[in-house]
């Protein structure tokens, strides 16, 4: 059997209004004397003072770096500045971009990394994978975080659509695991049942409770824990397989065709509806779950045009030809793509 490496977070803390304990958390990890903090402008305004006070009280020096987009050139520029810090630890604070930027830089510089998500929009908070903007967008492997520190109160105050997007990323696991099984059957690639089951459990928690969420609102802590578990599933698998299949390829195709429109989890959710249809799974149940949690189910809801959906379906598999998904078994013509999107009410 082909070997693979499992790299797992050492420590995960999830609390309520616990951001003031961040310095103590850092100390408990590796006694870092200095840290590089990477965050966006808006997030920095929310947490800056409390994080600084916490680090100062634990005698930890710090330098802030502002992240913008997650293009390779932008990441490289921040990396040059971070390298000058000579810090012992790199911390990503914020949504997907800042956390991914810090993760990539930490990997490139051989430094440990801590994730401090301020929104639960996708499962990258605990995974070793990074999404960067390039000519051929897809997730690339970096390092798993040494630690994950979550203040539920901060995430609860983030826009509701971000949490709904996180649900979309979780539901995508249902498609990804099915694709992974298919790849194992057709090519003999490694399939890890434990990591697959963990990813599926994270998705099913949302599926099974969606009606309740529609009435009473989303349970932030459960969704955060599910996203962390999904990230850990990828760590155990040694690849993004349990959480990334044809639906993610579709999302990445849209990143190329229509950059900046729709959140990652939103597009993965919409992709999951269509890929479930191709896989013979209950696509209507997936669509209902997405509606229940407030996530989009149509192209129009994320400002995408019909031809963009069709084109994304046609080029999705080309973005990662080595990864076997249900799209490998479909000659996805324009007519078939249009029909699929219409049948599933995506367009």
């Amino acid at each position: 059997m082909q070997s693979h490496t499992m790299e797992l977070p050492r420590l995960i803390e999830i609390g309520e209004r616990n951001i003031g304990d961040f310095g103590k958390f850092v100390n408990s990890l590796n006694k870092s004397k200095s840290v590089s903090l990477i965050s966006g402008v808006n997030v920095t305004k929310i947490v800056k003072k409390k994080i600084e006070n916490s680090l100062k009280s634990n005698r930890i020096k710090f330098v802030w770096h502002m992240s913008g987009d997650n293009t390779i050139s932008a990441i490289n520029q921040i990396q040059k500045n971070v390298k000058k810090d000579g810090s012992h630890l790199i911390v990503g604070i914020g949504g997907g971009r800042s956390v991914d930027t810090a993760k990539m830089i930490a990997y490139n510089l051989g430094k440990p990394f801590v994730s401090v998500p301020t929104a639960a929009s996708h499962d990258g908070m605990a995974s070793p994978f990074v999404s960067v903007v390039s000519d051929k967008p897809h997730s690339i492997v970096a390092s798993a975080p040494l630690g994950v520190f979550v203040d539920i109160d901060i995430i609860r105050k983030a826009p509701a659509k971000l949490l709904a997007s996180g649900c979309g990323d979780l539901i995508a696991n249902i498609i990804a695991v099915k694709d992974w099984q298919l790849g194992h059957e057709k090519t003999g690639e490694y399939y890890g049942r434990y990591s697959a089951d963990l990813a599926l459990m994270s998705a099913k928690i949302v599926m099974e409770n969606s009606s309740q969420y529609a009435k009473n609102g989303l349970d932030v802590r459960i969704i955060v824990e599910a996203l962390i578990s999904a990230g850990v599933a990828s760590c155990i698998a040694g690849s993004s397989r349990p959480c990334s299949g044809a639906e993610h390829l579709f999302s990445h195709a849209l990143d190329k065709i229509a950059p900046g429109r729709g959140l990652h989890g939103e597009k993965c959710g919409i992709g999951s509806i269509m890929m479930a249809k191709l896989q013979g799974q209950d696509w209507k149940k997936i669509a209902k779950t997405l509606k229940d949690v407030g996530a989009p189910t149509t192209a129009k809801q994320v400002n995408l045009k019909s031809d963009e959906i069709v084109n994304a379906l046609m080029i999705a598999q080309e973005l990662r030809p080595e990864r076997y998904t249900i799209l490998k078994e479909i000659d996805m013509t324009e007519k078939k793509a249009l029909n699929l999107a219409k049948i599933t009410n995506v367009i």
Side-chain angles (χ1 to χ4, degrees), residues 121-127 169-170 173 226-228 230-231 234 243 248 264:
S121 56
H122 63 75
D123 62 15
M125 62 179 73
S127 84
D169 208 17
L170 286 170
N173 297 355
L227 287 167
I228 289 173
S234 289
C243 302
H248 268 67
H264 170 75

Side-chain angles (χ1 to χ4, degrees), residues 68-342:
D69 56 45
N70 58 336
T71 59
I72 295 293
S73 59
I75 292 173
N76 287 341
Q77 185 55 53
I78 297 172
Q79 183 174 308
K80 289 178 183 177
N81 296 329
V82 169
K83 190 174 183 179
K84 294 174 185 176
D85 297 345
S87 56
H88 303 119
L89 184 73
I90 296 172
V91 181
I93 307 166
R97 288 178 186 171
S98 295
V99 170
D100 277 358
T101 296
K103 193 186 300 181
M104 191 78 255
I105 291 171
Y107 176 73
N108 290 341
L109 296 180
K111 303 274 188 180
F113 158 71
V114 166
S115 170
V116 184
T118 59
S121 56
H122 63 75
D123 62 15
M125 62 179 73
S127 84
F129 298 97
V130 176
S131 290
V132 297
V133 177
S134 65
D135 292 336
K136 205 171 183 180
H138 65 271
S139 296
I140 58 177
V141 67
S143 296
L146 181 67
V148 182
F149 185 89
V150 183
D151 185 330
I152 293 294
D153 186 59
I154 290 173
I155 290 181
R156 188 178 288 116
K157 291 174 181 175
K161 68 179 293 183
L162 297 178
L163 195 61
S165 173
C167 292
D169 208 17
L170 286 170
I171 289 167
N173 297 355
I174 295 167
I175 309 302
V177 169
K178 189 83 169 177
D179 274 342
W180 195 13
Q181 290 170 337
L182 188 64
H184 173 66
E185 291 166 8
K186 294 300 175 76
T187 70
E189 73 168 287
Y190 164 74
Y191 173 77
R193 185 178 172 185
Y194 181 86
S195 54
D197 285 354
L198 183 58
L200 279 178
M201 182 181 70
S202 300
K204 287 176 180 177
I205 283 175
V206 178
M207 296 282 285
E208 291 168 1
N209 292 285
S210 69
S211 295
Q212 194 67 26
Y213 293 155
K215 293 177 184 176
N216 304 319
L218 298 173
D219 188 319
V220 178
R221 188 174 189 123
I222 287 177
I223 292 165
V224 167
E225 289 175 353
L227 287 167
I228 289 173
S229 293
V232 170
S234 289
C235 292
I236 294 170
S239 80
S240 61
R241 263 306 209 176
C243 302
S244 177
E247 79 301 325
H248 268 67
L249 294 180
F250 168 76
S251 175
H252 291 314
L254 286 174
D255 291 340
K256 185 180 179 70
I257 293 168
R261 273 182 275 161
L263 297 170
H264 170 75
E266 291 177 332
K267 291 179 285 191
C268 287
I270 291 171
S272 294
I273 298 171
M274 294 185 288
M275 300 310 160
K277 171 67 176 172
L278 293 179
Q279 291 177 337
Q281 298 206 71
D282 191 346
W283 66 268
K284 291 181 180 179
K285 186 176 181 181
I286 288 176
K288 178 186 179 299
T289 299
L290 290 169
K291 286 179 182 177
D292 285 345
V293 302
T297 59
T298 69
K300 188 176 181 180
Q301 288 173 299
V302 286
N303 298 315
L304 289 165
K305 299 173 184 176
S306 296
D307 64 317
E308 291 169 335
I309 296 294
V310 168
N311 289 336
L313 285 169
M314 291 171 66
I315 71 166
Q317 186 62 57
E318 298 171 15
L319 294 180
R320 201 162 187 182
E322 79 284 359
R323 174 157 289 187
Y324 202 102
T325 76
I326 190 63
L327 291 172
K328 280 273 192 184
E329 307 199 339
I330 310 289
D331 179 18
M332 189 60 76
T333 62
E334 184 177 349
K335 184 178 179 180
K336 286 180 182 177
L338 184 62
N339 188 48
L340 175 62
K342 284 184 174 179

Side-chain angles (χ1 to χ4, degrees), residues 39-47 66:
S39 183
V41 175
N42 293 332
V43 169
T44 304
K45 291 176 183 176
I46 297 168
V47 300
M66 294 300 106

